[in-house]
Amino acid sequence: MTRSPLRGAACGAVLLAAAWASPAGAQTAANGYDLSVRNIMRGPELVGRSPDEVRWSDDGRWVYFRWRNPEARDTATHVYRVAAAGGEPQMLADSVADRVAPAMAGAWNRDRTRRAAERMGDVYVTVDGRERRITDTPTRERQPELSRDGRTVFFVSGTNLWSVPVEGGPLRQLTDIRSEAAPRPPETAGQRGALRQDQTELFDVIRDRDEERRRREQVDSLRATVRPAYIGRNMSVSSFEVSPSGRYLLLGVSERVEGAQQTSIPYWITESGYTEPVNQRNKVGDVQSVERAAILDLNTSRLAWITPDSAQTARKVSLTTLAWAPSQDRALVMGVPYDFKARWLYVAGTDGKLTMVDEVRDTAWVGGPGLYTADWISDDRIFFVSEASGYAHLYTRDLNGGAATPVTSGQWEVTDVTLTPDRRTFLITTSETHPGERALYSVPVTGGARTRITPLAGWTEATPSPDTRWLALLHSTSNTPPELYLMPNRPGARPRQVTESRTAEFRRGSWIQPEVMSFRARDGQMVYARIYRPRDVGAQPNGGGVFFVHGAGYLQDAHRGWSTYYREYMFNHLLASRGYTVMDVDYRGSSGYGAAVRTGIYRHMGGLDLTDHVDAARWMVQNEGVDPKRIGLYGGSYGGFITLMGMFTEQETFRSGAALRSVTDWSHYNHWYTSRILNLPQTDTLAYRQSSPIYFAEGLRGDLLMAHGMVDTNVHFQDIVRLSQRLIELGKTNWELAVYPVEDHGFVRADSWTDEYRRIYELFERTLRPESPPLPNGNGRE
């Protein structure tokens, strides 16, 4: 066999990726479409840019969104608007868009007659449909909210809360929050207290100083409008929310930790010509920041810390502030312990004391869609999403007594919840028709039958207008990117398509809707996957098979909507056109299938998530005629991790693989993600050892391509460097590493994408075709 120049140079060496790409993978369809690596890796330039940043005007007459019209001459996105009642989208000039378009986020008063929002660092309030500017300063004001009657707007400037009447009036500073310990009063007991007493009795000068200090403090207290509140050293306020009465402030407080060691990421291609290091995150198991909560009395500056104190929550807990009750001064707070094995909902009084109102536990870790979805329906009733049944569902709870009441149930999930302004109806997005579909339903707050609102098959995400009379939809299918639709919020209404984002070039492609199929894994679990068959794209099967492994772990890709991996979607078409059968598996740990699938990787990543691919390979052999000796896999991030584990531990299943920006040792990844699944490396060594590819590198037999950005701030470049050194010391020769000097975790440049996927394509063409050499009998050594 003649080795490619890339492979010949890569025996234990590092390759710098070239900024050019050969025409590898060029396939010209009958309609003249250029299905080549170079073309499909152009990304948005080829596909188009779908609308996003969708928001309604406060009166519900207009929808604003950011979009690139594919017929426009420039490649930039712009702000557009379209009338709910009909008409074509209108582009707003950049010079006026920030003034005309409503802010993305805002806060309504109780009867929803006024809305406060931040725009370009200043506060605005919409009154009678017209926006009124409240502040005009060089300092950024943020987190604006209105009093219940809408007459006063509160906002944060610097580290403190301020208020001003909407109709005009004096600006008031309401807090003086200081990130330091409160001053300690003079000691009056013990040796120091006795010594101080002696000094005061002996010397007139001491008594005079004390009297002067007392007079000065009295004058200062009369002059000061607000007393200082001391939250402690290394503390900073992350969120503010004023209570309905206007007297109390619900604070989210972050405690910065000392002693954490961060990884230094060098930037290699710089204007200065020198490497410029930037400190990034620390590693799992290192000291972590603490999230706390408190209630501040604005009249007295008394700070009441919210602290879970029951036996159940004695361990370290991170608190998230949610919301005040609609008209009472009590707050909804969520607590999650630092081992992530429970989630508690509390109601906090103004004294900081807690009453638990809901609890969910998981022997693995709590999670799922809607984990932080909880709010008030009325002063004595709340709603929340919980996986208590094994699937994420909507519940309500009467705080006067009784158990939580399920509003939805079944072997499907609720992924989004909106309470209508009249507080009588929930608008919920669910997967009840199929795990790979999303649609909007309405259901009474009291429970009962659900009514489907959006009729489109595929994947629909809805944004209701402020009065919920209209819906703005972002809808996609597996072969069409998201487009904006508008429809009245009523069953039977037909959506009106507003945008067409695809370029004329992309529309010429013969893009299929890959079948979303399912098979049973070895333990009986139903596993879903997308499949791309050669015959679906007009090609003959060559007997080879390829798996694309999605990233993120907890992510769903085998669905009927547009994939975030749209480059891989097109690349899978290219592979299918060359005769490969391609599958995209929602392996164990993926989202969309309930708690058992979500936590199926607890303490063993590279366990069931990997065997799901091995079982899929057997299904592919039995049902699609794939040669069991010619199967490869590729993927990035978590997908790269699975690729490595497959190549190192399932050598008889996978002939070759491409691992991109892959985790090689979980003890080097971040804390919040890894510790949920594997606990801590210092206390659960087995979980980290059995889950980290670097400990299984001896098993490499097939051909392995690794690719990594050198400025990856998520999976650090150090990960792949450590594995490369391990492969060198093991004497492995059938591997290669391509590095990308300017790329972070998510590649940006089309030339980097092209170079990376050219290498993947050439790897499979070299190892998976009928004439390719078999898997070496040795252990990957010369």
Side-chain angles (χ1 to χ4, degrees), residues 14 664 708 716-726 737:
V14 175
T664 68
H708 215 106
H716 297 158
F717 185 59
Q718 181 191 28
D719 257 44
I720 208 67
V721 171
R722 294 178 71 246
L723 179 59
S724 298
Q725 180 63 25
R726 178 69 178 147
L737 171 63

Side-chain angles (χ1 to χ4, degrees), residues 161-229:
L161 185 75
W162 302 70
S163 71
V164 63
V166 173
E167 307 299 335
L171 175 67
R172 293 183 57 210
Q173 180 177 339
L174 302 182
T175 65
D176 179 11
I177 296 175
R178 303 185 183 184
S179 296
E180 57 189 72
R184 298 177 60 181
E187 294 191 37
T188 58
Q191 182 267 345
R192 294 183 182 180
L195 187 60
R196 181 181 181 85
Q197 182 64 31
D198 288 344
Q199 294 291 95
T200 303
E201 291 176 356
L202 284 171
F203 301 107
D204 289 342
V205 66
I206 300 295
R207 292 191 293 272
D208 292 344
R209 288 174 185 171
D210 286 346
E211 182 62 27
E212 176 62 25
R213 177 181 53 79
R214 283 192 291 270
R215 284 198 301 267
R216 188 168 57 249
E217 289 176 350
Q218 288 176 349
V219 172
D220 289 345
S221 66
L222 293 173
R223 186 168 53 221
T225 58
V226 60
R227 298 176 183 175

